[in-house]
Amino acid sequence: MKRILSIQSSVTYGFVGNSVATPVLTSMGIHPLAVNTVMLAAHPGYGIFAGQATPADHIAAILNGLVTLDIIPDIDAVISGYLGHADQIAHIASLISNWRAAGASGTYICDLVLGDADTLYIDQSLADRMIDQLLPLADIITPNQFELTYLSGMPVAGSDSAIKAGQHLLASQARLTAVIATGITNDDDLVHDILITRSVHKSWQHKKRLAGISGSGDLFTSLLAGGLVQGVPLSDATARASHLAQAVIARSPNPKELALLENLDLFRTTS
């Protein structure tokens, strides 16, 4: 069975971070190895903050435990998403380095969760250290429109500028093989998910909703990682993740939550 190490947030109620990745990957027949960077009652969209970031020494102990258990060589891909504190980053970076030193050829997908809607919603120090220490290790990143602007230092106002910003990041990061920009808006009634590599770019369009749904980016990244470890080529895995994520979004009447559990059958039929 394929294994994906997923280092993200977790909530007791609802679906973001590992609370998305765990059921999605399991439904795809993949073993999720979940490390929770934050443990909350619910995501902040509910207007509460009940819980806390996982202490960095706890993260270190768990990741070092995986090394001791000799599980690292058997991990097929790694995802990192929302982080709770800048002190967690060095331990995650060390794990990625150990994983590669063990001969891993899998993909590290770094979802640099920084903000949305023109707003940085994590501490500046956390954002800076993620960019300094994790971005250079990434094979693929999956920024939204705001994050792509922030990472590239270039204004992103639509597909053309998103492609230019993605190409700029590829030129500045030697290891990076793909930037997948999600939720890019143009002067139309659509949102665009765009795969940008050094040689090609492809786009998939979907009808725009009035508002986004928390966890939709985590769903996209989980589906992408799952497809890649199943041997699906990058372009096809991106297309599948884009269409399946949008299918779940379209079936989600509550703007605060993905209708995830009701739609896990969508992922089982694509494995």
Side-chain angles (χ1 to χ4, degrees), residues 162-234:
I163 292 166
K164 290 179 181 177
Q167 290 171 337
H168 173 77
L169 284 168
L170 289 163
S172 66
Q173 300 291 331
R175 185 173 187 97
L176 196 61
T177 59
V179 175
I180 305 176
T182 61
I184 302 300
T185 57
N186 294 321
D187 292 328
D188 55 25
D189 194 33
L190 302 172
V191 293
H192 304 252
D193 293 334
I194 308 172
L195 169 64
I196 308 156
T197 71
R198 288 179 174 81
S199 57
V200 299
H201 56 81
K202 296 183 179 181
S203 178
W204 295 269
Q205 297 80 40
H206 308 279
K207 185 174 177 59
K208 186 189 301 182
R209 288 175 60 104
L210 293 177
I213 297 182
S214 296
S216 55
D218 304 324
L219 174 58
F220 174 90
T221 300
S222 298
L223 291 166
L224 173 69
L228 291 175
V229 302
Q230 289 173 337
V232 179
L234 176 60

Side-chain angles (χ1 to χ4, degrees), residues 1-5 25-26 29-33:
M1 178 178 285
K2 299 293 186 181
R3 295 182 175 94
I4 293 178
L5 176 62
L25 294 175
T26 301
I30 296 165
H31 183 186
L33 309 177

Side-chain angles (χ1 to χ4, degrees), residues 16-36:
V16 296
N18 275 333
S19 301
V20 170
T22 297
V24 168
L25 294 175
T26 301
S27 73
M28 296 176 76
I30 296 165
H31 183 186
L33 309 177
V35 177
N36 299 327

Side-chain angles (χ1 to χ4, degrees), residues 98-139:
N98 286 333
W99 178 54
R100 292 207 169 114
S105 59
T107 301
Y108 169 37
I109 302 176
C110 183
D111 185 7
L112 292 151
V113 181
L114 306 173
D116 201 358
D118 299 323
T119 302
L120 185 71
Y121 54 54
I122 61 173
D123 291 342
Q124 184 74 54
S125 62
L126 175 55
D128 290 345
R129 286 170 68 174
M130 288 169 68
I131 293 167
D132 289 345
Q133 297 182 44
L134 296 182
L135 178 58
L137 299 175
D139 298 300

